[in-house]
Amino acid sequence: MAIETLKNKFFFGGLAIWSITPNGKILGQKIQKSVQGSTLFVSASIVQDSDNEKNTIVFKKLSKEIHLQFSAFGGHIFIFSTGIAVRMIAPLLKSKMIDPAVVVVDDNANYAISLVSGHMGGANHLAKQIADIINAIPVITTATDTNRLPSIDMIAKEQGLYIETPQNIKHVNMAFLKGAKVRLYDPFGCVKNNLPESFRIDAVNWNKKIDDQAIDDIGNVSEGESGTVFCSYETKDVSCETLVLRPRVLTVGIGCNRGTCCEDIKAFLISVLKQQGLSVNSIFRFATSDIKKDEIGLLALSQEMKIQIDFYDKNKLNSVKTIQTPSKMVEKHLGVKSVCEAAAILSAGNGQLIVPKKKNKDVTIAVAIKQ
């Protein structure tokens, strides 16, 4: 995998390279040339008058500049000691789910050390790629990697699953390390198809008892030592130690009166999902009529929830033959028999309608699932 490809896959905010010594600057320039679009930060104390490199920022105080730039990048390469790196970034770390990747490279290019966000941030991958560029040894310390075992957070990331209870990743990965099988409910096969049978026991149906009881056939491992993974768009009762993963398989068709605000649309959406036992974190698209392209409330909802809207013209909407609740009023005014149901089905790739039209005085909602 080329470093450019890895950057695009793992670092949505770009890559920052930091150097504070002459050797570090040379290494930084070498890395920068191999990583398209990366930014090199160089200490003013080592800058020469002849230096005029593209995408290079000169800083005076390292701690101040890192504090300003840390969250602005998806990954950081620190070409100085791990001690300095730890002291610089410790106050800035928030969560393994959102912290940028941090790799530390020593001044003589002996090692590329994955320091922070090895899995979710992609630092393990980045360390290996940087090591290839500078002919160094990659240092990876995450236990699942060093033991050549699966990592549930990496499986979730690679499959595009939303991790709803990230605090429980440790229970599942620890089960792998202890040689215990995890209990898995995964009707879509998102995890199952990427986790060998030797690591799991599949549950065909889900109920609270599956989650609560200790299972003897996984090697007499107690409840607290094993792991349970619930991977579904449905909301069910689970224990506080269950890792809940959400496949993004739902599309929500939305219709609304002109001028309906974002807050009102969102409130009704959440209400419908709750009534139907569906997770908001499983939505991957909103959908509606193309006459709503300038609807401020819908556009604000899309931006706030970071969910794209698909817009369909009346010919597309009328092509759907599986709507359940056509509207004569909508047909009279818009020339289509359905907006929310038809749009949801289309956005799901002609998927199955699982929630027919629900409405209040201003908003209509329908939900479909990808085939």
Side-chain angles (χ1 to χ4, degrees):
M1 181 187 295
I3 190 70
E4 292 87 350
T5 303
L6 182 140
K7 180 178 73 68
N8 291 334
K9 183 176 181 182
F10 290 99
F11 306 112
F12 299 105
L15 194 65
I17 306 160
W18 300 79
S19 59
I20 59 175
T21 66
N23 275 353
K25 185 177 73 170
I26 294 170
L27 278 175
Q29 290 169 339
K30 183 176 182 179
I31 294 169
Q32 185 187 32
K33 288 178 181 177
S34 298
V35 185
Q36 185 180 3
S38 58
T39 301
L40 178 62
F41 290 83
V42 180
S43 171
S45 64
I46 58 171
V47 172
Q48 299 176 358
D49 294 337
S50 59
D51 289 341
N52 187 21
E53 298 291 335
K54 185 179 179 182
N55 293 329
T56 297
I57 295 175
V58 177
F59 62 86
K60 292 183 178 180
K61 188 173 177 59
L62 180 64
S63 59
K64 181 180 179 180
E65 194 68 28
I66 288 177
H67 279 238
L68 287 172
Q69 303 289 351
F70 190 66
S71 297
F73 289 85
H76 295 269
I77 309 295
F78 292 147
I79 309 177
F80 42 75
S81 74
T82 54
I84 294 174
V86 169
R87 289 184 177 88
M88 292 291 114
I89 68 173
L92 308 175
L93 299 178
K94 297 177 182 178
S95 163
K96 67 186 294 180
M97 301 303 295
I98 61 174
D99 290 334
V102 175
V103 170
V104 176
V105 174
D106 66 281
D107 188 68
N108 286 311
N110 294 309
Y111 304 100
I113 305 166
S114 174
L115 186 67
V116 171
S117 292
H119 285 161
M120 298 307 294
N124 288 356
H125 291 265
L126 182 60
K128 293 173 184 177
Q129 295 296 315
I130 297 302
D132 284 344
I133 292 171
I134 62 175
N135 196 29
I137 298 172
V139 179
I140 311 296
T141 59
T142 43
T144 51
D145 293 86
T146 57
N147 285 280
R148 293 181 172 82
L149 292 170
S151 163
I152 195 64
D153 41 338
M154 282 303 295
I155 291 174
K157 179 175 181 177
E158 289 166 358
Q159 297 305 306
L161 303 173
Y162 180 86
I163 303 177
E164 197 164 272
T165 55
Q167 70 275 14
N168 294 331
I169 290 171
K170 60 187 177 184
H171 300 310
V172 178
N173 284 344
M174 184 57 71
F176 295 153
L177 290 166
K178 291 182 175 181
K181 292 184 178 183
V182 299
R183 285 154 283 175
L184 174 64
Y185 178 74
D186 181 27
F188 277 82
C190 300
V191 176
K192 181 167 57 179
N193 294 340
N194 296 277
L195 184 65
E197 289 185 18
S198 58
F199 293 98
R200 67 178 204 265
I201 291 178
D202 299 327
V204 178
N205 299 301
W206 180 269
N207 56 54
K208 188 90 167 35
K209 290 182 180 179
I210 293 174
D211 191 34
D212 286 341
Q213 67 187 10
I215 299 179
D216 292 332
D217 59 359
I218 60 174
N220 295 318
V221 179
S222 68
E223 182 74 15
E225 293 176 305
S226 185
T228 303
V229 180
F230 178 85
C231 182
S232 173
Y233 63 89
E234 298 179 291
T235 54
K236 299 284 187 179
D237 289 335
V238 300
S239 77
C240 61
E241 291 186 340
T242 297
L243 177 62
V244 178
L245 305 177
R246 300 298 186 188
R248 301 182 190 272
V249 294
L250 302 180
T251 59
V252 177
I254 304 175
C256 65
N257 289 330
R258 181 62 69 179
T260 305
C261 68
C262 172
E263 291 77 12
D264 288 347
I265 300 172
K266 185 177 180 180
F268 187 57
L269 168 64
I270 299 301
S271 173
V272 169
L273 294 175
K274 184 175 181 180
Q275 290 171 6
Q276 300 297 318
L278 304 176
S279 171
V280 67
N281 295 318
S282 281
I283 300 173
F284 81 98
R285 281 287 195 279
F286 292 139
T288 190
S289 166
D290 62 357
I291 68 168
K292 295 294 183 181
K293 282 185 175 180
D294 63 345
E295 190 67 59
I296 294 175
L298 276 176
L299 297 177
L301 180 71
S302 172
Q303 184 174 14
E304 179 182 327
M305 298 185 70
K306 295 180 175 58
I307 297 173
Q308 182 177 320
I309 306 179
D310 292 331
F311 297 96
Y312 297 101
D313 62 30
K314 65 180 182 180
N315 291 331
K316 277 285 189 180
L317 294 172
N318 282 329
S319 72
V320 179
K321 307 301 181 184
T322 54
I323 60 173
Q324 296 185 23
T325 54
S327 169
K328 292 182 178 180
M329 183 68 69
V330 171
E331 187 172 16
K332 177 181 178 181
H333 290 283
L334 301 182
V336 296
K337 295 180 179 180
S338 167
V339 171
C340 65
E341 287 187 1
I345 292 167
L346 286 169
S347 191
N350 290 316
Q352 178 185 356
L353 187 70
I354 60 172
V355 179
K357 181 174 66 178
K358 304 294 180 184
K359 62 180 181 179
N360 64 13
K361 64 183 180 67
D362 290 314
V363 185
T364 61
I365 296 285
V367 183
I369 187 168
K370 288 199 293 187
Q371 294 289 68

